[in-house]
Amino acid sequence: MLLTTRLYFVLLLSGNVLLLFLEVGAWTIPVPFRIQQSLKRLNRTVTFASDRNANQIESFSTPSIHGITLKIAVDAKGAAADLGAKIQERFTCDASLDMVHRLRASCQAVLVGKGTVQADNPSLLVRRNVTVTQQPLRVVLDPSLSLFSSSSSSTPPYQLFHDGYKTVVFHTIDAATTKIKTLLSEAVQFRRVPRTEGGSISLTAVLHILSDEFKVHHLMVEGGPFTAQQFLQQKLVDRCIRVQAPIQFTDQPLDAGMTDDLLQGTAGLVYLGSACLGVDSVSYWSRPRLPWPGIHLEDWP
């Protein structure tokens, strides 16, 4: 005679122990069950790389994504742009663009350097039918405020300074920004940070302000090559997504420098694997022992 067996109910005893009740015929049998560590790893979190010891073990406190994720797009030869082109146009496929907007949606802030603003005039907003409750903070690194150098009597022609969405500009000079602010959206803020001994903007200071003042726990670095290299050389990147399109710039290609040696040898990242997004090839990199947010690489973002 076969007895019908079914799960009756589940009782959580502690952080990783469940008590399962199985109904077997007329009997109810309690069965303790320990959640495997591999399942808990999906909820691992990290802080900004600059704020932790490289050997520190991250906590399991929340399922949200933390850290710094770098996205860079290159052509078949590793160039990030064609400096000879009169207009810089997107060169990755639609599937890769959709991925970028999903990545933006997973972050509290999206960071670019002044060169990306000048070349692309981006909005850095989440679009492409991706739903968010709040647009990410746009972060611009402009050490000498060169984007506003002609703004004493004219409005800077970049859309992210006028569309009403929150933007913060980090600079390093002792300059009065009060008059500049009158020409911009009220949503634009300025923060002065120190320079490093080498003369570049202090990324560590930028990250502390983003974390402490703006409550950013997941930052997306979207470009361009110079900004990406700064983050990688200072070992500040937790994850890297490198998109390679099957085209080749032929006029004045700008080498992005996103070599395996930079990602592994300098930045200390580990190659996880590759996948196809439309016609593009995407390689995924992560800090050692930091699990990818998705079960499979292509699951996230």
Side-chain angles (χ1 to χ4, degrees), residues 145-217:
L145 292 177
S146 60
L147 295 174
F148 310 92
S149 59
S150 60
S151 297
S152 58
S153 59
S154 61
T155 302
Y158 307 112
Q159 59 177 316
L160 78 172
F161 297 139
H162 305 285
D163 59 14
Y165 291 99
K166 291 183 179 179
T167 304
V168 57
V169 179
F170 285 94
H171 64 94
T172 62
I173 62 175
D174 185 12
T177 58
T178 304
K179 190 170 184 178
I180 297 177
K181 288 180 180 179
T182 63
L183 303 172
L184 310 176
S185 163
E186 294 181 354
V188 180
Q189 303 181 50
F190 292 85
R191 295 294 182 275
R192 183 186 177 190
V193 293
R195 289 181 178 268
T196 64
E197 292 182 359
S200 61
I201 192 169
S202 173
L203 297 182
T204 301
V206 170
L207 295 179
H208 278 301
I209 292 175
L210 290 178
S211 176
D212 296 342
E213 181 179 347
F214 294 95
K215 310 305 177 186
V216 173
H217 60 75

Side-chain angles (χ1 to χ4, degrees), residues 101-110 124-127 130-138 164-167 187 189 213-218:
H101 285 271
R102 293 194 300 270
L103 179 55
R104 288 179 184 174
S106 75
C107 304
Q108 289 77 50
V110 179
L124 303 179
L125 298 175
V126 178
R127 305 187 306 275
V130 178
T131 302
V132 289
T133 57
Q134 183 176 346
Q135 289 287 348
L137 173 73
R138 285 90 56 89
Y165 291 99
K166 291 183 179 179
T167 304
Q189 303 181 50
E213 181 179 347
F214 294 95
K215 310 305 177 186
V216 173
H217 60 75
H218 184 205

Side-chain angles (χ1 to χ4, degrees), residues 93-100 102 241 243-244 275-282 284 298 301:
C93 69
D94 286 345
S96 293
L97 184 59
D98 290 340
M99 178 272 293
V100 169
R102 293 194 300 270
I241 300 173
V243 181
Q244 192 160 33
C276 290
L277 273 180
V279 298
D280 297 337
S281 175
V282 182
Y284 301 88
E298 58 271 24

Side-chain angles (χ1 to χ4, degrees), residues 46-49 65-72 99-100 102-104 106-111 207 216-223 228 231-232 236-242 269 283-287 290-293 300-301:
V46 297
T47 57
F48 284 138
I65 302 167
H66 287 227
I68 297 175
T69 302
L70 166 67
K71 190 281 301 181
I72 190 77
M99 178 272 293
V100 169
R102 293 194 300 270
L103 179 55
R104 288 179 184 174
S106 75
C107 304
Q108 289 77 50
V110 179
L111 182 148
L207 295 179
V216 173
H217 60 75
H218 184 205
L219 172 68
M220 175 186 179
V221 177
E222 194 166 338
F231 273 86
L232 290 167
L236 297 175
V237 176
D238 293 292
R239 307 171 200 84
C240 176
I241 300 173
R242 184 178 63 188
L269 302 180
S283 60
Y284 301 88
W285 306 73
S286 180
R287 189 171 294 280
L290 177 64
W292 198 250
W300 185 88

Side-chain angles (χ1 to χ4, degrees), residues 52-66:
R52 67 172 188 270
N53 184 284
N55 297 320
Q56 179 180 341
I57 302 300
E58 296 85 358
S59 69
F60 294 91
S61 58
T62 171
S64 60
I65 302 167
H66 287 227

